[in-house]
Amino acid sequence: MSDQGSVPMEIRCDHEDDFRAAAGSVHLDAVDVSHTSIPSIRAYRTPRHIRRSDPELYHLRLNLTGETDLSQANRETTIGFRQFALLDTSRPYEGANTRGRVDAVVVRFPRAVLPLPETRVDELVARCLSGRGGVGAMLADLLTRFIKETDTYRPADASRLSMVLLDLVTALLAHELEADSPVPPESRPRALLLRVQAFIQQHLADPELSPAMIAAAHHISLRYLYRLFEQQGHTVAAWIRAQRLERCRADLADPTQCATAIQTIANRWGFTHPADFSRAFRTAYGVPPRDHRRAALSSSVCKQG
C-alpha cells in the first residue's frame, strides 16, 4: 500500500456525522491504483495546494457506480458508469459527487512516463472518455478485475502489471486523440527507460538486483537494456551504484539513524565490503562516509556508528 507523493486538496462533505467510506491503494512500480467508495463530497485542488506539493501526476479516474462532476482547465464534464476522466495534479481542479455514493478506481502515474506529447494530452483533461467499448472497455475490465483480486497477485507481478496498465492507458488516450501517429517512435524508449528506473528505485535494497533481473522483468534483452542507459551517458551498473550511494548519503545524514553503524547502512543498500563502499562514497561526494555523517549531524547529539 502506498501513494505516489502527496496531493493536498480541500474536502467538503455534508455527512460529517455519518460519513462511511472505504478506500484501498496498491503500488505497482510506476503506477498506483486506488479504489474508493464514498458518499457525496466536494474536492478542491487550488493553486495554494499545488505550491505546497505537486508530484506531477496524471490521475485517470474510472467510475464504477454513480456520477462525478469534474472541472479543470476551463473544461467541465460529468462521468458515470464505466466512464473515464483524466486530471493533471499540476493544475487546479474541482470534483463533486452530489448525487449519492460513488465507487471509483483511480490510476495515478507520473506525467513523464506517458509516451504522448503533453500538449496533446492536455486536450483530454476533464473530458469524458468511454470505458464501455474498444480499448476503454479493455482497460475498465482490467481495473475492475484487478481491484477484486488484489490479494492474488505476487510482488513479482508488479512490474508486469504496471507495464500492462500504462500500455492500455496510453492506447486509450491515443485512441481518443484520433491521431494517425499519436505516439512518436522516439518517445517509446524514453518511457521504457523511466519505467526501468522506477523499477530499480523500488528494488535498490534487493541483493538480487542485476541487469539480467531488470531486463527479464521488462521483457527486453540485456543488449537493449544496456543501449537504453548508454544513450543517457552511463551504464546500468553505474546508475544503480549512484542511486544506492545517494540512499546511503541520505541515511547517514538522518538523525533518527545516527546510532546505526555505517556498514549496516552500507549493507542495507548493497555495499557488502567496507573498503569498497568507503572508496565509492569518497569518489562520489569528495569525503569519507564518516566525515559526511559527522558534518551532517553536527547539530545533533547522538552516538555515531
mmCIF file of all heavy atoms in Angstrom, residues 115-117 170 174 179-188:
data_model
loop_
_atom_site.group_PDB
_atom_site.id
_atom_site.type_symbol
_atom_site.label_atom_id
_atom_site.label_comp_id
_atom_site.label_asym_id
_atom_site.label_seq_id
_atom_site.Cartn_x
_atom_site.Cartn_y
_atom_site.Cartn_z
ATOM 1 N N PRO A 115 4.089 8.082 -22.882
ATOM 2 C CA PRO A 115 4.780 8.362 -24.147
ATOM 3 C C PRO A 115 3.905 9.092 -25.156
ATOM 4 O O PRO A 115 3.772 8.682 -26.313
ATOM 5 C CB PRO A 115 5.174 6.972 -24.637
ATOM 6 C CG PRO A 115 4.070 6.104 -24.148
ATOM 7 C CD PRO A 115 3.685 6.671 -22.794
ATOM 8 N N LEU A 116 3.299 10.193 -24.720
ATOM 9 C CA LEU A 116 2.479 11.035 -25.583
ATOM 10 C C LEU A 116 2.862 12.485 -25.322
ATOM 11 O O LEU A 116 3.182 12.849 -24.187
ATOM 12 C CB LEU A 116 0.986 10.844 -25.288
ATOM 13 C CG LEU A 116 0.362 9.490 -25.637
ATOM 14 C CD1 LEU A 116 -1.005 9.353 -24.995
ATOM 15 C CD2 LEU A 116 0.248 9.333 -27.137
ATOM 16 N N PRO A 117 2.838 13.332 -26.329
ATOM 17 C CA PRO A 117 3.172 14.744 -26.112
ATOM 18 C C PRO A 117 2.209 15.386 -25.109
ATOM 19 O O PRO A 117 0.992 15.257 -25.243
ATOM 20 C CB PRO A 117 3.009 15.361 -27.508
ATOM 21 C CG PRO A 117 3.104 14.211 -28.457
ATOM 22 C CD PRO A 117 2.523 13.036 -27.740
ATOM 23 N N THR A 170 -2.123 4.384 -22.321
ATOM 24 C CA THR A 170 -1.602 5.074 -23.497
ATOM 25 C C THR A 170 -2.472 4.801 -24.720
ATOM 26 O O THR A 170 -2.778 5.720 -25.500
ATOM 27 C CB THR A 170 -0.157 4.620 -23.783
ATOM 28 O OG1 THR A 170 0.666 4.945 -22.669
ATOM 29 C CG2 THR A 170 0.398 5.313 -25.024
ATOM 30 N N ALA A 174 -4.375 7.663 -26.745
ATOM 31 C CA ALA A 174 -4.031 7.822 -28.156
ATOM 32 C C ALA A 174 -5.267 7.653 -29.036
ATOM 33 O O ALA A 174 -5.459 8.390 -30.016
ATOM 34 C CB ALA A 174 -2.962 6.802 -28.547
ATOM 35 N N ALA A 179 -5.294 10.561 -33.620
ATOM 36 C CA ALA A 179 -4.162 10.953 -34.470
ATOM 37 C C ALA A 179 -3.643 9.736 -35.203
ATOM 38 O O ALA A 179 -3.721 8.611 -34.719
ATOM 39 C CB ALA A 179 -3.053 11.560 -33.612
ATOM 40 N N ASP A 180 -3.100 9.941 -36.378
ATOM 41 C CA ASP A 180 -2.564 8.829 -37.163
ATOM 42 C C ASP A 180 -1.360 8.192 -36.479
ATOM 43 O O ASP A 180 -1.198 6.978 -36.483
ATOM 44 C CB ASP A 180 -2.148 9.301 -38.560
ATOM 45 C CG ASP A 180 -3.353 9.699 -39.392
ATOM 46 O OD1 ASP A 180 -4.460 9.176 -39.112
ATOM 47 O OD2 ASP A 180 -3.189 10.531 -40.297
ATOM 48 N N SER A 181 -0.485 9.023 -35.923
ATOM 49 C CA SER A 181 0.710 8.531 -35.233
ATOM 50 C C SER A 181 0.855 9.262 -33.912
ATOM 51 O O SER A 181 1.737 10.109 -33.746
ATOM 52 C CB SER A 181 1.964 8.740 -36.092
ATOM 53 O OG SER A 181 1.843 8.081 -37.325
ATOM 54 N N PRO A 182 -0.028 8.990 -32.950
ATOM 55 C CA PRO A 182 -0.039 9.772 -31.711
ATOM 56 C C PRO A 182 1.135 9.500 -30.791
ATOM 57 O O PRO A 182 1.409 10.278 -29.914
ATOM 58 C CB PRO A 182 -1.352 9.334 -31.048
ATOM 59 C CG PRO A 182 -1.572 7.946 -31.556
ATOM 60 C CD PRO A 182 -1.041 7.936 -32.963
ATOM 61 N N VAL A 183 1.811 8.366 -30.963
ATOM 62 C CA VAL A 183 2.926 8.034 -30.084
ATOM 63 C C VAL A 183 4.218 8.141 -30.890
ATOM 64 O O VAL A 183 4.541 7.247 -31.669
ATOM 65 C CB VAL A 183 2.788 6.610 -29.507
ATOM 66 C CG1 VAL A 183 3.928 6.324 -28.534
ATOM 67 C CG2 VAL A 183 1.445 6.443 -28.818
ATOM 68 N N PRO A 184 4.940 9.250 -30.769
ATOM 69 C CA PRO A 184 6.184 9.397 -31.530
ATOM 70 C C PRO A 184 7.139 8.248 -31.239
ATOM 71 O O PRO A 184 7.337 7.888 -30.075
ATOM 72 C CB PRO A 184 6.756 10.730 -31.008
ATOM 73 C CG PRO A 184 5.587 11.444 -30.419
ATOM 74 C CD PRO A 184 4.690 10.379 -29.882
ATOM 75 N N PRO A 185 7.741 7.633 -32.271
ATOM 76 C CA PRO A 185 8.635 6.493 -32.037
ATOM 77 C C PRO A 185 9.755 6.797 -31.068
ATOM 78 O O PRO A 185 10.130 5.954 -30.262
ATOM 79 C CB PRO A 185 9.179 6.196 -33.448
ATOM 80 C CG PRO A 185 8.132 6.717 -34.374
ATOM 81 C CD PRO A 185 7.572 7.934 -33.694
ATOM 82 N N GLU A 186 10.310 8.028 -31.123
ATOM 83 C CA GLU A 186 11.437 8.344 -30.248
ATOM 84 C C GLU A 186 11.032 8.453 -28.786
ATOM 85 O O GLU A 186 11.879 8.431 -27.897
ATOM 86 C CB GLU A 186 12.102 9.658 -30.700
ATOM 87 C CG GLU A 186 11.232 10.899 -30.539
ATOM 88 C CD GLU A 186 10.315 11.126 -31.740
ATOM 89 O OE1 GLU A 186 10.205 10.218 -32.588
ATOM 90 O OE2 GLU A 186 9.710 12.210 -31.808
ATOM 91 N N SER A 187 9.733 8.567 -28.487
ATOM 92 C CA SER A 187 9.309 8.719 -27.094
ATOM 93 C C SER A 187 9.176 7.370 -26.392
ATOM 94 O O SER A 187 9.161 7.306 -25.170
ATOM 95 C CB SER A 187 7.970 9.465 -27.021
ATOM 96 O OG SER A 187 6.930 8.665 -27.544
ATOM 97 N N ARG A 188 9.060 6.286 -27.164
ATOM 98 C CA ARG A 188 8.882 4.981 -26.543
ATOM 99 C C ARG A 188 10.093 4.555 -25.715
ATOM 100 O O ARG A 188 9.937 4.083 -24.586
ATOM 101 C CB ARG A 188 8.557 3.936 -27.614
ATOM 102 C CG ARG A 188 7.212 4.158 -28.308
ATOM 103 C CD ARG A 188 6.830 2.947 -29.154
ATOM 104 N NE ARG A 188 5.563 3.158 -29.836
ATOM 105 C CZ ARG A 188 5.459 3.536 -31.096
ATOM 106 N NH1 ARG A 188 6.543 3.760 -31.805
ATOM 107 N NH2 ARG A 188 4.278 3.695 -31.658
#
